[in-house]
């Protein structure tokens, strides 16, 4: 019988979305032969909810909580968290919890779980309180114990203890709320801070993670210093003149940013003119109205202060050097072992939320690029800190190393982020543990730790013996697994997202009791496809470019070799293998010798264009998705929509324009486009997805910049147009020989208008015909002008409402949903889609009986990242992600079988 692992995630902290995404990662990656995962969502009020499993696959917490039936009307469509519409004393809080699962009292937990896997961040998660509660009820849990968790939470206490223990660290000053409130203390604090820490300083909250509330200042004025303190204390002020100068659209944007827990304050906030006369505001609409009232009533500065404010702020010296993060684990014999430290290379000084969690924006170099001596110095210091603080099982320790070899450890964490690309999994892969095996290691080692510090309870010892017994049984059946090659990467602007999709597929298959995935990285160019079979440590590199570099120039670092040797007992216990293999270049014809089937996790070309499919069919290998001819059509947005239009479907008015016309006569092409399309319109590549270079064009200058950039001759961006278009750091902007221009689709005379994305799955009927199962589409909410890369693929960033809200009345909504699904089904059949797909469209609703579906594009190999909304949709139909992926693979196997019978 499997062990029941209760995954606690969510919570009330500003890192709740990271926790939610991490909890989903653990839920999916737990070895299903050993464990039964039990999702325990902790809401904003500390309520523990046995979550209905389908909600774990939402893109963000706000996609399902508060439940849609509890949401008040919002004219501006503000997304909100539960605390904006209830509080812990409100009966609504209990009703909301019961709408998404079963509300549990702490005393009931042992009836549902054997072990608690902690993915909570911040207050009431990694500060020792939760750990204490679990010990009270005799439930073993992962990670550190009560005292070490409390130490690992507060950065101010950490600094003091580390200094007393002899660790090097930057000079620091601690500012509490009383000092900050007292205007008379500001000048002395400023002078003391500059005198103590220098002019290049970092100001950060004492109890936050993910770089939330952090500012870096260089030779600041007292005004800049105060502004950074306000930011760290989650307080700001705005002048009525500035507020009144904003347009209505800008005011809405300001309130959205202010309400965002990652970049702003979150809600509730207190608002007013003076510190002692503030009123609480819970909802963004209420905040917008209040700011308008205050700005029109007086010229006094308006004060905005988070209800969830900090008690202390750290002011410390900025360290110039290489930044690193190091996971330290407890070995089989109880020793601390620092895994290979990772260097964080970023495009700007602050490793912020976006840089941390969106693939491709920063680089993680493992191990950090320094001498072996210095590398081991970092590891020794991290191991010492781990032992001195009494950490258990694992910890993540951040720091810097200067050009002189000085090591400054500045942020020990007892709970690491557990998103797929996190340091947690990244470094474990260096010793040969994939995410599934590493989680097993964490659980087993935590049971060893709890056996010592929960000696009054028998459960840790009982569960440890039980786990060892199941692991032995599992080892006996390893050779029965079906080998599936997962092809990921590519050389297009979609390569980083392809890596995220491929890793997700790999992890889902790896944690199953049915498949053994083999990661295959694709690189090269349109003239030559190159494949590498890669080990897990290369698979979990930060992005496609890092994987490519490692595959082409692989070598094992001597320090990593030493760590692998030290961890030999661990890898043998959890994988049966004591060494990490090396990348191997293979020909596509060799795939049939190493696997029984293929999952293509590529996006764009090659992958969605039928090229790979042609090779696989020649090799006799079953694969996922559509066949050669259908893929060759749907890769081209123009051709796809032309075919749909010929069959009576609605599409935006569109036209192709070429680079040759641009080079022949630039102004003539601009004139031609502006004659044929009115502002605004959409310009985009005809065969790229993932929001690459999709722009809402509103002026001739913007169109000129877009065309100059997309028709450039080299990969390097042209600064002028890139700056004019306000490209984000590391934003991909592909080179193309033609572009697609489409009219901007609007509401028109419809009573309701929304953008949707709908997934589907195919199977075979008993008579051999193809059946289509079209899922309930998601309603896509767009923060900016077009759907961004972050909103599509970064967990916690975008918001998709599933099912789409076509109407408030449930009966009307069902009628409209049926009509929409019918249209998507017809389009899929016209395009001869197989396996699965995603269809994007706009919907105009005139009445429950009259709608218009305007098709945008069709993806024959849709993104399969953990946060993608296709998993929300298949969940409504009862498929967990693995079951969905399994059905996709089984369709490919059945298609191949039928093809052979008909040959």
């Amino acid at each position: 019988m499997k062990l029941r692992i209760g995954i606690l995630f969510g919570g009330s902290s500003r890192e709740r979305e990271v926790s939610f995404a991490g909890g989903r990662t653990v839920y999916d990656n737990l070895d299903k032969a050993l464990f039964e995962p039990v999702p325990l969502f902790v809401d904003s009020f500390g309520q523990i909810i046995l979550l209905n499993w389908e909600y774990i696959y939402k893109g963000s917490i706000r996609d399902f909580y508060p439940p849609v039936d509890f949401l008040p009307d919002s004219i501006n469509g503000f997304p909100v968290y539960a605390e904006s519409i209830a509080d812990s004393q409100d009966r609504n809080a209990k009703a909301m919890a019961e709408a998404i699962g079963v509300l549990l009292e702490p005393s009931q937990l042992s009836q549902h779980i054997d072990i608690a896997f902690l993915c909570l961040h911040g207050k009431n998660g990694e500060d020792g309180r939760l750990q204490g509660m679990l010990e009270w009820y005799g439930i073993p849990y992962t990670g550190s114990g009560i005292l070490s968790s409390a130490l690992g939470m507060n950065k101010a206490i950490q600094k003091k203890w580390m200094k007393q223990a002899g660790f090097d660290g930057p000079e620091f000053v601690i500012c509490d709320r009383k000092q900050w409130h007292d205007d008379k203390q500001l000048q002395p604090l400023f002078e003391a801070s500059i005198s103590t820490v220098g002019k290049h300083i970092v100001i950060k909250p004492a109890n936050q993670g993910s770089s939330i509330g952090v500012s870096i200042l260089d030779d600041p004025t007292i005004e800049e210093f105060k502004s950074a303190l306000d930011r760290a204390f989650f307080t700001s002020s705005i002048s009525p003149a500035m507020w009144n100068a904003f347009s209505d659209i800008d005011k809405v944007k300001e309130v959205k940013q202010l309400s965002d827990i990652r970049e702003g304050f979150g809600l509730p906030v207190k608002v007013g003119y003076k510190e002692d006369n503030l009123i609480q505001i819970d909802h963004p609409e209420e905040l917008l109205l209040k700011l308008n009232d205050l700005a029109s009533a007086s010229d006094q500065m308006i004060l905005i202060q988070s209800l969830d404010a900090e008690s202390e702020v750290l002011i410390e010296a900025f360290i110039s050097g290489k930044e690193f993060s190091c996971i330290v684990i407890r070995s089989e014999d109880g020793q601390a072992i620092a895994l290979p430290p990772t260097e964080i290379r970023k495009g700007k000084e602050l490793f912020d939320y976006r840089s941390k969690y969106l693939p491709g924006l920063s680089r993680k170099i493992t191990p950090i690029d320094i001498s072996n001596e210095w590398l081991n110095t970092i590891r020794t210091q991290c191991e010492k800190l781990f032992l001195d603080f009494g950490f258990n099982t694992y910890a993540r320790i951040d720091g810097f190393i200067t050009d002189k070899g000085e090591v400054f450890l500045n942020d020990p964490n007892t709970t690491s982020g557990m998103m797929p690309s996190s340091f947690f999994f990244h470094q474990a892969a260096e010793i040969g543990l994939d995410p599934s095996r590493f989680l097993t290691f964490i659980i087993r080692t935590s049971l060893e730790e709890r056996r010592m510090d929960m000696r009054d309870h028998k459960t840790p010892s009982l569960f440890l013996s039980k786990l060892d017994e199941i692991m032995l049984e599992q080892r006996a059946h390893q050779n029965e697994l079906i080998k599936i090659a997962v092809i990921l990467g590519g050389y297009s602007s979609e390569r980083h997202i392809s890596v995220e999709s491929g890793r997700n597929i790999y992890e889902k298959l790896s944690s199953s009791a049915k498949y053994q995935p083999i990661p295959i990285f694709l690189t090269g160019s349109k003239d030559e496809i190159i494949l590498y079979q890669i080990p897990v440590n290369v698979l979990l590199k930060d992005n496609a470019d890092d994987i490519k570099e490692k595959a082409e120039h692989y070598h094992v670092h001597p320090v990593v070799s030493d760590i692998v040797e030290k961890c030999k007992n661990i890898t043998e216990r959890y994988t049966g293998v004591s060494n990490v293999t090396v990348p191997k270049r293979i020909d596509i014809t060799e795939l049939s010798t190493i696997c029984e089937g293929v999952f293509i996790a590529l996006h764009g070309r090659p992958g969605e264009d039928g090229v790979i499919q042609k090779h696989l069919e020649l090799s006799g290998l079953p694969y996922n998705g559509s066949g050669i001819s259908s893929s060759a059509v749907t890769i081209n947005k123009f051709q796809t929509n032309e075919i749909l239009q010929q069959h009576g479907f609605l599409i935006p008015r569109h036209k192709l324009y070429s680079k040759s016309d641009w080079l022949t006569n630039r102004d003539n092409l601009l004139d031609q486009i502006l004659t044929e399309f009115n502002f605004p319109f959409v310009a985009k590549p005809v065969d790229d997805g993932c929001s690459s270079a999709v722009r809402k064009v509103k002026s001739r200058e913007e169109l000129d910049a877009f065309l100059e950039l997309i028709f450039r001759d080299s990969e390097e961006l042209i600064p002028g147009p890139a700056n004019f278009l306000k490209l984000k750091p590391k934003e991909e902007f592909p080179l193309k020989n033609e572009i697609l221009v489409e009219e901007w689709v609007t509401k028109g005379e419809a009573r309701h208008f929304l953008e949707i994305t709908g997934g589907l799955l195919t199977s075979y009927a008993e008579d051999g015909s193809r059946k289509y199962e079209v899922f309930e589409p998601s309603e896509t909410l767009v923060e900016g002008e077009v759907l961004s890369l972050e909103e599509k693929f970064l967990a916690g960033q975008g918001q998709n409402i599933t099912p789409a809200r076509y109407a408030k009345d449930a009966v009307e909504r069902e009628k409209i949903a049926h009509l929409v699904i019918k249209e998507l089904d017809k389009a899929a059949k016209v395009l001869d889609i197989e396996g699965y797909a995603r269809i994007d469209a706009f919907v105009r609703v005139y009445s429950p009986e009259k709608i218009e579906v305007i098709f945008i594009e069709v993806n024959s190999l849709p993104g399969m990242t953990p946060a993608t909304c296709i998993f929300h949709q298949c969940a409504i139909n009862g498929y967990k992600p693995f079951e969905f992926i399994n059905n996709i693979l089984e369709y490919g196997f059945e298609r191949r079988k039928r093809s052979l019978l008909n040959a």
Side-chain angles (χ1 to χ4, degrees):
M1 191 165 175
K2 302 173 186 178
L3 291 176
R4 300 171 300 170
I5 307 297
I7 305 159
L8 286 112
F9 62 108
S12 60
S13 81
R14 299 176 194 277
E15 297 177 88
R16 70 186 74 168
E17 293 289 5
V18 177
S19 170
F20 177 69
R24 175 174 54 223
T25 304
V26 173
Y27 183 86
D28 278 341
N29 281 279
L30 284 176
D31 191 326
K32 304 307 183 295
L34 305 176
F35 307 115
E36 177 191 340
V38 180
L40 298 174
F41 176 67
V42 181
D43 73 2
S44 306
F45 318 117
Q47 298 182 119
I48 301 174
I49 304 161
L50 178 58
L51 190 67
N52 294 342
W53 67 262
E54 61 268 25
Y55 293 118
I56 203 171
Y57 297 109
K58 297 293 186 179
S60 74
I61 293 170
R62 292 179 299 181
D63 286 350
F64 69 94
Y65 198 72
V68 66
D69 292 342
F70 289 82
L71 290 172
D73 288 338
S74 177
I75 298 170
N76 295 289
F78 287 117
V80 296
Y81 287 102
E83 57 265 40
S84 285
I85 59 174
D87 59 47
S88 58
Q89 307 305 314
D90 193 322
R91 61 186 177 185
N92 259 352
K94 182 178 179 182
M96 285 193 297
E98 291 173 339
I100 62 169
V102 178
L103 188 58
L104 299 179
E105 293 297 325
S107 59
Q108 297 175 296
L109 286 175
S110 60
Q111 300 170 29
H112 298 273
I113 67 173
D114 300 319
I115 305 161
F117 198 110
L118 306 187
C119 295
L120 291 164
H121 296 279
K123 184 175 65 175
N124 297 323
E126 54 182 322
D127 59 0
R129 300 180 197 184
L130 179 62
Q131 290 80 355
M133 182 200 78
L134 291 167
E135 288 198 17
W136 178 266
Y137 289 108
I139 300 172
Y141 55 88
T142 57
S144 285
I146 299 170
L147 177 60
S148 51
S149 294
L151 288 175
M153 179 66 193
N154 189 296
K155 294 180 177 66
I157 293 175
Q158 284 175 7
K159 292 288 182 186
K160 294 175 183 177
W161 277 51
M162 287 167 67
K163 190 171 185 178
Q164 291 172 1
F167 289 94
D168 289 333
E171 295 296 331
F172 65 92
V173 172
I174 297 173
C175 172
D176 61 27
R177 290 188 69 82
K178 187 175 180 180
Q179 286 177 288
W180 169 65
H181 273 310
D182 189 347
D183 290 339
K184 294 178 182 177
Q185 294 195 48
L186 178 62
Q187 184 68 37
L189 176 65
F190 175 65
E191 292 172 358
S193 298
I194 298 300
S195 174
T196 302
V197 307
K199 293 184 177 181
H200 201 174
I201 61 178
V202 180
I203 296 179
K204 59 187 177 184
N207 295 284
Q208 300 293 330
S210 295
S211 302
I212 294 171
V214 178
S215 298
I216 297 175
L217 306 176
D218 193 4
D219 197 10
T221 63
I222 191 168
E223 290 79 14
E224 292 169 333
F225 179 78
K226 183 181 185 305
S227 178
L229 281 178
D230 290 348
R231 173 178 164 81
F233 278 113
F234 298 101
T235 297
S236 74
S237 55
I238 186 170
S239 71
M242 181 181 291
W243 181 258
N244 290 327
F246 288 146
S247 67
D248 289 344
I249 292 175
D250 288 336
K251 287 178 180 178
V252 170
K253 285 182 179 178
E254 285 292 314
V255 170
K256 276 187 177 179
Q257 184 171 346
L258 188 66
S259 306
D260 192 314
I261 57 173
R262 299 174 299 270
E263 298 178 1
F265 293 174
L267 293 175
V269 293
K270 294 184 287 185
V271 182
Y273 297 125
K274 294 182 180 179
E275 176 74 34
D276 57 357
N277 193 26
L278 303 179
I279 64 166
Q280 181 172 324
I281 302 291
D282 298 321
H283 196 280
E285 293 288 1
E286 186 186 356
L287 177 59
L288 180 62
L289 293 173
K290 188 63 180 177
L291 289 173
N292 283 334
D293 289 344
L294 291 170
S296 62
S298 170
D299 59 358
Q300 296 182 67
M301 293 293 288
I302 302 168
L303 188 66
I304 307 168
Q305 189 175 100
S306 172
L307 208 65
D308 180 23
E310 278 291 314
S311 57
E312 290 180 309
V313 163
L314 270 174
I315 305 160
E316 63 182 22
F318 177 84
I319 303 168
S320 180
K322 291 178 183 286
E323 186 173 359
F324 65 82
S325 188
C326 183
I327 300 293
V328 183
I329 60 173
R330 182 81 73 173
S331 69
E332 296 282 284
D333 59 1
Q335 299 301 307
I337 299 179
L339 298 181
T342 298
E343 177 184 352
I344 304 157
R345 290 185 185 172
K346 49 200 183 294
K348 49 187 176 180
E349 279 192 317
L350 181 59
F351 188 42
D352 62 9
Y353 188 95
R354 184 171 181 267
S355 298
K356 282 186 176 182
Y357 302 117
L358 188 65
L361 293 192
S362 62
R363 293 191 68 198
K364 299 183 179 80
I365 310 299
T366 306
I368 184 171
D369 186 17
I370 52 177
S371 70
N372 295 355
E373 180 186 354
W374 288 4
L375 191 53
N376 281 321
T377 299
I378 289 175
R379 295 185 58 248
T380 300
Q381 289 290 297
C382 289
E383 289 168 353
K384 182 177 185 303
L385 182 60
F386 182 95
L387 295 171
D388 284 1
F389 272 52
F391 291 150
N392 306 125
T393 308
Y394 77 95
R396 195 196 83 227
I397 300 171
D398 300 337
F400 293 85
I401 184 165
T402 69
D403 292 341
K404 298 177 181 177
E406 302 164 300
V407 175
F408 297 95
L409 305 181
N410 68 341
D411 195 5
N413 293 272
T414 54
T415 300
S416 173
M418 293 184 188
M419 291 171 72
S421 59
S422 69
F423 301 111
F424 185 72
F425 297 121
H426 186 85
Q427 293 176 23
E430 291 295 329
I431 62 168
L433 294 182
D434 67 17
S436 182
R437 275 77 185 170
F438 190 44
L439 292 175
T440 301
F441 164 79
I442 294 297
I443 292 168
R444 190 186 181 284
T445 308
S446 294
L447 286 173
E448 290 272 20
E449 299 276 11
R450 298 293 88 81
R451 187 166 63 170
M452 297 300 295
D453 54 24
M454 292 176 62
R455 287 185 293 274
D456 294 340
H457 299 278
K458 296 179 180 178
T459 49
S461 294
L462 290 173
F463 293 144
L464 183 61
S465 298
K466 185 176 179 181
L467 178 56
D468 285 344
E469 184 181 324
I470 306 171
M471 287 174 68
L472 278 174
E473 185 181 343
Q474 179 202 39
R475 184 75 62 88
H477 297 283
Q478 274 187 331
N479 293 330
E480 300 171 11
L481 302 176
I482 301 169
K483 293 181 173 63
I484 300 292
V486 180
I487 304 179
L488 67 155
Y491 42 79
S492 75
S493 60
E494 302 176 69
R495 63 195 182 281
H496 300 308
I497 299 302
S498 168
V499 165
E500 290 295 299
S501 290
R503 279 200 285 238
N504 189 41
I505 298 298
Y506 172 89
E507 289 164 5
K508 298 290 190 296
L509 299 182
S510 177
S511 62
S512 77
K514 182 175 181 179
Y515 296 106
Q516 179 186 336
I518 301 166
I520 305 292
F521 181 72
L522 184 147
T523 184
S525 68
K526 63 181 181 180
D527 301 316
E528 181 187 22
I529 292 174
I530 298 171
L531 298 179
Y532 289 93
Q533 182 178 344
I534 56 174
V536 67
N537 65 320
V538 176
L539 173 67
L540 294 190
K541 292 300 177 188
D542 201 41
N543 57 54
D545 296 341
D546 284 351
I547 294 175
K548 180 176 184 290
E549 192 276 331
K550 200 72 172 178
E552 293 175 343
H553 309 287
Y554 188 80
H555 72 279
V556 180
H557 195 286
V559 173
V560 175
S561 293
D562 292 342
I563 299 170
V564 169
E565 185 61 30
K566 283 185 178 180
C567 295
K568 187 175 179 180
N569 289 340
I570 295 173
T571 53
E572 286 181 343
R573 178 190 288 274
Y574 295 95
T575 70
V577 179
S578 61
N579 65 309
V580 178
T581 56
V582 301
K584 176 187 175 186
R585 182 167 174 174
I586 62 172
D587 188 85
I588 198 164
T589 58
E590 293 180 66
L591 284 175
S592 59
T593 67
I594 63 174
C595 68
E596 298 158 72
V598 172
F599 196 104
I600 309 167
L602 300 165
H603 303 311
R605 297 181 189 270
E608 289 189 80
D609 56 1
V611 172
I612 299 296
Q613 291 84 345
K614 189 173 183 178
H615 285 290
L616 296 176
E617 289 196 9
L618 288 172
S619 298
L621 281 170
Y623 58 87
N624 58 306
S626 290
I628 299 168
S629 57
S630 178
S631 299
V633 169
T634 55
I635 186 67
N636 187 302
K637 297 179 179 69
F638 179 80
Q639 189 177 353
T640 299
N641 282 357
E642 285 286 296
I643 292 172
L644 290 175
Q645 188 176 45
Q646 290 164 15
H647 284 80
F649 295 95
L650 297 176
I651 65 163
R653 187 168 57 86
H654 65 171
K655 190 170 180 179
L656 287 176
Y657 298 94
S658 71
K659 181 177 180 178
S660 60
D661 290 338
W662 169 258
L663 295 175
T664 301
N665 192 321
R666 178 174 182 154
D667 288 331
N668 187 58
L669 181 60
L670 288 167
D671 292 338
Q672 183 184 346
I673 296 172
L674 297 182
T675 300
E676 294 168 337
F677 291 90
N678 296 321
F679 293 126
F681 55 79
V682 177
K684 59 186 177 183
V686 72
D687 59 357
D688 270 22
C690 299
S691 299
S692 294
V694 179
R695 306 293 297 194
K696 178 183 181 181
V697 178
K698 304 180 293 299
S699 70
R700 184 185 181 95
E701 293 75 21
E702 192 172 355
L703 177 60
D704 185 64
F706 176 88
L707 294 174
E708 185 175 356
L709 208 54
I710 206 161
F711 288 151
R712 69 193 187 278
D713 292 323
S714 66
E715 289 290 343
E716 188 176 348
L717 293 179
I718 305 170
N723 292 334
F724 187 86
L725 295 177
K726 298 179 181 177
L727 298 190
K728 295 174 182 175
K730 304 285 183 73
E731 184 174 343
E732 294 282 348
F733 208 96
L735 284 73
K736 294 294 175 181
N737 289 319
E738 59 182 359
I739 63 152
L740 181 63
V741 173
E742 293 177 341
E743 67 176 330
W744 184 257
V745 180
T746 62
K747 181 179 181 180
E749 296 180 359
R751 77 180 192 189
H752 189 45
F753 177 68
L754 63 163
E755 183 176 351
I756 64 162
T757 180
L760 61 88
L761 183 67
T762 70
S763 59
Y764 285 105
E766 288 185 9
D767 63 2
S769 62
R770 190 187 306 152
K771 294 195 302 183
Y772 285 81
E773 182 179 5
V774 180
F775 303 139
E776 278 268 17
S778 302
E779 176 184 349
T780 302
L781 303 184
V782 180
E783 289 283 327
E785 294 175 333
V786 296
L787 194 64
S788 70
L789 181 69
E790 293 92 330
E791 288 170 310
K792 279 188 176 181
F793 300 111
L794 176 55
Q797 195 77 356
Q799 190 175 14
N800 295 283
I801 305 299
T802 310
R805 301 171 297 180
Y806 302 112
K808 288 186 178 180
D809 180 79
V811 175
E812 286 190 8
R813 201 211 73 80
E814 286 299 321
K815 285 182 180 179
I816 297 166
H818 175 74
L819 293 175
V820 173
I821 288 172
K822 191 175 178 181
E823 279 292 287
L824 299 187
D825 178 79
K826 285 160 55 181
K829 289 172 180 173
V830 163
L831 295 168
D832 197 29
I833 287 170
E834 292 185 79
Y836 67 122
R838 193 190 82 228
I839 301 175
D840 297 340
F842 293 106
V843 177
R844 293 191 183 117
V845 179
Y846 296 91
S847 73
E849 292 77 27
K850 182 185 176 184
I851 65 161
E852 290 178 345
V853 178
I854 303 100
F855 288 83
I856 306 170
E857 65 178 276
V858 176
N859 292 272
S860 63
L861 293 176
M864 298 285 272
T865 67
T868 190
C869 60
I870 201 166
F871 290 131
H872 319 173
Q873 296 163 17
C874 68
I876 292 177
N877 284 33
Y879 301 110
K880 292 181 179 178
F882 170 74
E883 294 164 344
F884 179 54
I885 294 163
N886 182 52
N887 280 346
I888 292 168
L889 285 169
E890 287 190 340
Y891 179 87
F893 276 100
E894 182 66 20
R895 176 175 56 190
R896 179 61 186 165
K897 179 181 173 183
R898 290 170 183 267
S899 174
L900 291 172
L901 289 173
N902 295 329

